[in-house]
Amino acid sequence: MKRRLLSLILCGLMLLGGCGRQAVQEEIWELEEKNVATFSDGETVDRWRGYFENGLQEPWSVYELADGTVLLTEDDVVSVESDTAGYGSLTEEVQAAVSAWYQGEGKYYDLSALLSASYTRWQEQGESFVPGRVGQSTASTATSGSVIYFTTTVEQAVDPENGQQLRYSAAFDRATGQRLDLWTLFTVPEADACMALAAAAGDDPAVQETLAAAIDPVHVIFFEDRLEVEFPAGSLEGLDTAYILVVDYAQLDGVLASSALPGGAERS
């Protein structure tokens, strides 16, 4: 798919005022980076971005082969600084610490792998090929008296018909901006905390043990009224789709430290 047609399609999908007016303007494409990736057969892919006559730019870039075929569209990262409610409520010193940590983290997806997979799919599908897409955003999802929780969401779809969402959590001390290890927020050892979370799945001990063993702390997501444990596709044997375990904070009474309990939650 060529970039001009792709731009019109993406613009039509965006829920932004004025996008329709932008679509009829003359659009200029600029090369942002040449030879972003080189595939095993020697073919390379470049990154381009569209600009309009009024100075606005597309909020995405495209990765394109020499013949104009777009392999992948990458949305601009929505950084933690864009979260005016959560991040904006922190002091400047704490904001700086949180920003520095996320800058060190970078992107939570492997762009090279996505480009390679998209290239392989293009070779297989030919004229029926539709570009893949990836995007990442970070925002606060909960706060307690001393902790603020952020969640980074990655939406990626090498094949638009089979998209995947992955979420990654991070907790910070609201007074210092220090990144907190998840298990320090619990009053019991890590193994016991995992079993307490897994208990929300029901009374089957075998199921509880399986889930507890598969819990990855970066996929434990805090919200104001609940906690979610995300198990990405492939993380549980025999399960090729993602599974989300929802845990009520009341189920963690005596397990989750009171200082870590989001302000909107109430224990029964």
Side-chain angles (χ1 to χ4, degrees), residues 40-41 71 116 118-126 129:
S40 58
D41 59 2
L71 291 182
S116 180
S118 294
Y119 184 61
T120 298
R121 190 168 62 84
W122 170 71
Q123 291 178 308
E124 295 172 347
Q125 297 182 353
F129 173 80

Side-chain angles (χ1 to χ4, degrees), residues 82-260:
S82 300
D83 176 15
T84 56
Y87 177 85
S89 68
L90 304 173
T91 66
E92 292 185 3
E93 292 77 10
V94 173
Q95 287 181 3
V98 172
S99 293
W101 188 84
Y102 273 109
Q103 287 171 8
E105 287 292 284
K107 295 176 180 177
Y108 281 78
Y109 54 89
D110 187 336
L111 179 61
S112 295
L114 293 175
L115 287 172
S116 180
S118 294
Y119 184 61
T120 298
R121 190 168 62 84
W122 170 71
Q123 291 178 308
E124 295 172 347
Q125 297 182 353
E127 291 297 323
S128 64
F129 173 80
V130 177
R133 188 162 191 167
V134 64
Q136 174 176 311
S137 63
T138 300
S140 61
T141 49
T143 57
S144 73
S146 59
V147 183
I148 183 166
Y149 301 94
F150 289 93
T151 299
T152 297
T153 302
V154 174
E155 302 275 0
Q156 62 182 43
V158 170
D159 182 348
E161 295 185 358
N162 295 288
Q164 180 183 32
Q165 180 188 85
L166 293 171
R167 298 179 298 173
Y168 303 87
S169 68
F172 297 87
D173 187 304
R174 291 179 64 184
T176 66
Q178 177 186 0
R179 167 77 195 288
L180 302 173
D181 182 281
L182 173 72
W183 306 120
T184 65
L185 304 178
F186 291 82
T187 61
V188 297
E190 177 182 336
D192 294 336
C194 286
M195 286 301 297
L197 293 171
D203 298 327
D204 189 326
V207 171
Q208 292 181 10
E209 291 179 6
T210 297
L211 293 177
I215 291 176
D216 186 333
V218 300
H219 294 308
V220 177
I221 314 297
F222 286 77
F223 295 96
E224 290 293 335
D225 61 345
R226 70 192 185 285
L227 180 153
E228 293 184 2
V229 184
E230 185 168 275
F231 298 89
S235 60
L236 294 171
E237 185 176 356
L239 185 66
D240 57 3
T241 59
Y243 170 68
I244 296 176
L245 176 64
V246 179
V247 184
D248 190 283
Y249 288 119
Q251 297 173 275
L252 300 177
D253 192 17
V255 177
L256 180 65
S258 296
S259 60

